[in-house]
Amino acid sequence: MAKAIKKKNQWARFLAIAIGAAIFAAFTPSIAHAVETGTLESLSKSTGELKLSVNTSWVLITGFLVFFMQCGFAMLEAGLVRQTAVVNTLTENFIDAGVTLLAWWSTGFAIAFGTTSNGFWGLDGFFLNNAFTLSNSGTFEYAMGAGGSTAPVSTLSLFFFQFAFSATASTITTGAMAERTDFRGDLIYAFIMGAVMYPVVVHWVWNNGGWLNKLSFHDFAGSAVVHTVGGWTSLIGAYLLGPRPNRVWGQIPPAHNLGYATIGTMILWFGWYGFNCGSTLSLSNPGLVSLIAVNTTLAASTGAIAAFLYIYFRFRQWHLFCGLNGSLAGLVGVTAGCAYIMPWAAALIGLVAGVLVLLVVDIIEWFEIDDPVGAFAVHGACGMLGVIAVGLLGHPALTINKKAGLFLGGGFDLLGVQLAGEVAIIIFVVIFSFVMFGVINSMGLLRVNPEADLIGIDVYEHGASAWPDVYPIDDLQFVGEADDDADIED
């Protein structure tokens, strides 16, 4: 009897275990699936948020570097102009950033990156009206990219980064037009450039629906969009303004402070890493970012070396000014192709740009166009060089359409698009600049009052001097008044 009960209990335990195992077997897949699904969703969400955070940090930090280039331009130009125009140059460079921001916020960003209209300009995003939304539940949501951009960052991040580029274009122009531009005229053209002219070219090239973008025109970080635009605008402005007072052709006025110019150039070189590397708008491909950094550095270095050697063999002297512009020429030249070429090609571009910039300075001088800082030679000429260089040296593994440049056996396909796009941009900029500066000139706001030529634009426009112990305001104003009295007596 006892054995029967014990055996019965064993069967009961076995049955209970079997039932439990069956239940576990039935529900385990569902539980496991639920746990697995929840984990994957959480992991995917966390990964997406991490990528957005990294990309946003990258774009903002590099945007800060590009904005810091405003300081570099200010120091460079202040060092290269004469001491009677230092305050004016610093003031223009400073306020251009503020004016351009308002222009970019109101219309510039929308024209550049809004939903395209036949590939020529954007139609939405004015005043950032589509950068964020407020849902019915009260949730504040930030929009991503823009109508014409799939950038993996918020609209606001993209807006800030591209604003810094826009400010650069107008600042290039101030250098060529230094020492004799009416300050009111500077404010007007800086706003127009940031609101209309520059954004139109951006739309053509960097908007997903832009007509040059669809043709696979290659300009990674702006040799055409920023530097060709700024360079040609500056040339037209300098031509219409006429030369500075007491200008002797064939004898370029010496830079008043090469220390300032050197500091400015080094700041620009540093900021250029934000300019070129930041144009990836993402850190998803760290190898590409590193290639861009190396190419940028090589071009700047070989550009400086080429300029130094060229000027030495020509005059048997090592001119610092030429070396500084040589490095900037290399940076401008590599900007279009920094993501599409191999390092040896970047070094070659720098070598060519370092010599080209000095040759173009001579040409501009021969045409008797007064460009105090060599803005067109650096940005206009070398910007065009950079665009063409992609068509010659583009590597098929790196270009957008996987086509090689002419020198790498790719034929004229890539080069043809580069040349056509560059010509179209130049024609648009030249016509727009003539109209813009012509209207400003007709208003009497382009060239500063002739009295400024007598006492200096710093005193006339700003009532200040960067060197009051060397260039005292009171004495200069007294001299000006004395000359006026003498003219009256005569």
Side-chain angles (χ1 to χ4, degrees), residues 222-224 227-228 329 332-333 336 377-388 422:
S223 286
H227 300 286
T228 299
V332 171
V378 172
H379 301 279
C382 294
M384 292 185 290
L385 169 67
V387 172
I388 295 171
E422 187 74 342

Side-chain angles (χ1 to χ4, degrees), residues 95-121:
I95 200 59
D96 277 357
V99 171
T100 304
L101 175 60
L102 295 180
W104 191 246
W105 171 57
S106 58
T107 64
F109 183 71
I111 293 174
F113 291 101
T115 304
T116 191
S117 171
N118 299 320
F120 288 94
W121 55 79

